[in-house]
Amino acid sequence: MTGAQEILATARELAEQGECTPRLARDPVNEPMINNWTEALGDANPSYPAVAPPAMIQVWTMGGLHPGRSADDPLGRMIDVLDAAGYTSVVATNSEQTYHRLLKPGERLAVTSRLEDVVGPKRTGLGEGWFVTTRSTWWSGDEPVGEMMFRVLKFKPKPAAGVSVPPMVSRDTEFFWAGAKIGELRIQKCSACGALRHPPGPMCPRCNALGPTHIVSSGLGEVYSYVVHHHPQVPGKRTPFVIALVGLEEGVRMLGELMDIDPEQVKVGLPVRVRFVPSGEFTLPAWEVR
Ligand code: ZN
């Protein structure tokens, strides 16, 4: 069998196998974790922690520092086969979650997953690869409470030549990328209560309004926190480089590369301004010292 035939044969076999063995969550849905999460995200919705934020669903079945998969987990098997065929790099391309109801502290979830689809080989900006789609279902007892479609691209990396990983664009973030393309740093604004927020999302965490609008930031701010990236290598980038979380004048924080600076010179409070850097089809906001 050729590599492609073997990949497709494994995909068919795994798809027929259906749901894998359920993996039970280590802990039940719990208030401390909900409080940590909502505090980290600045989400003051008063419904929490009596119920859990729906977007936390994946948290409840995370494996901790030493995660294991079910032996029959289809994504694990598919990744092994693709690794063996030389498609050694992976990037998540998209995921969609569906929540059937709110979860309450005390419920202990289990997760199953099945292989939906394997498509390839495709030529992509990152290299030749296969798109692998799985669907996970979270269960509370025998009731399905949420689902996630998760798609990865397993690819043969091209030698670094100015290629960078494209950002994920969704309905919630397309205004941001459209702004960057024309040199505007856009911040999402609640159309009801006026609260600004970043990263963008579909619903205002303060008043739950939908249908947000946006403002254009001055692009001026200060370094709130930063990391110096040494490893791993990133396609098209020379290490080390600096990624800074910048507190903008408007009061929200935003991540970006801090360019043209010796990592030794970076410090918290450093005044910066936005700079727009074309990268493939995208324009990425980055920072420079002012
Ligand atoms: Zn609001």
Side-chain angles (χ1 to χ4, degrees), residues 190 193 204 207:
C190 175
C193 76
C204 176
C207 75

Side-chain angles (χ1 to χ4, degrees), residues 27-260:
D27 301 297
V29 174
N30 64 84
E31 293 185 353
M33 195 62 96
I34 296 170
N35 285 329
N36 290 338
W37 164 287
T38 52
E39 212 172 285
L41 295 184
D43 187 342
N45 186 322
S47 322
Y48 311 137
V51 294
M56 281 188 80
I57 196 153
Q58 205 174 359
V59 168
W60 306 118
T61 48
M62 276 184 177
L65 279 182
H66 307 287
R69 296 179 187 277
S70 301
D72 57 354
D73 179 282
L75 185 57
R77 282 256 335 257
M78 207 60 235
I79 280 179
D80 289 345
V81 170
L82 288 164
D83 277 337
Y87 300 93
T88 52
S89 292
V90 67
V91 61
T93 59
N94 52 321
S95 106
E96 270 173 33
Q97 297 189 341
T98 310
Y99 315 115
H100 300 317
R101 67 162 169 84
L102 291 165
L103 299 173
K104 294 204 170 97
E107 295 191 72
R108 190 159 173 205
L109 303 190
V111 64
T112 58
S113 83
R114 65 187 147 87
L115 185 72
E116 263 196 358
D117 204 17
V118 175
V119 178
K122 297 270 186 198
R123 266 205 221 128
T124 77
L126 295 170
E128 185 187 281
W130 295 73
F131 289 93
V132 179
T133 308
T134 53
R135 182 167 296 273
S136 297
T137 305
W138 282 274
W139 304 83
S140 180
D142 51 15
E143 179 194 2
V145 291
E147 287 172 43
M148 175 172 70
M149 180 279 284
F150 185 63
R151 186 170 294 136
V152 299
L153 171 66
K154 277 290 281 175
F155 62 99
K156 286 182 183 167
K158 291 201 291 205
V163 186
S164 67
V165 180
M168 286 203 268
V169 178
S170 70
R171 226 164 47 177
D172 298 328
T173 60
E174 60 188 2
F175 79 95
F176 181 84
W177 299 112
K181 200 155 256 179
I182 57 166
E184 289 186 356
L185 187 65
R186 293 178 175 176
I187 302 174
Q188 200 173 47
K189 180 183 178 183
C190 175
S191 47
C193 76
L196 299 177
R197 61 185 191 261
H198 188 87
M203 183 188 278
C204 176
R206 199 157 86 182
C207 75
N208 289 356
L210 300 168
T213 172
H214 68 263
I215 61 159
V216 177
S217 164
S218 67
L220 303 177
E222 289 182 353
V223 172
Y224 178 80
S225 176
Y226 64 96
V227 293
V228 180
H229 183 105
H230 293 276
H231 187 81
Q233 295 296 317
V234 175
K237 305 277 329 163
R238 290 205 12 217
T239 53
F241 57 90
V242 179
I243 299 293
L245 181 62
V246 166
L248 289 166
E249 282 186 335
E250 292 82 4
V252 303
R253 294 178 193 142
M254 208 177 277
L255 275 175
E257 182 178 356
L258 177 53
M259 304 186 81
D260 298 339

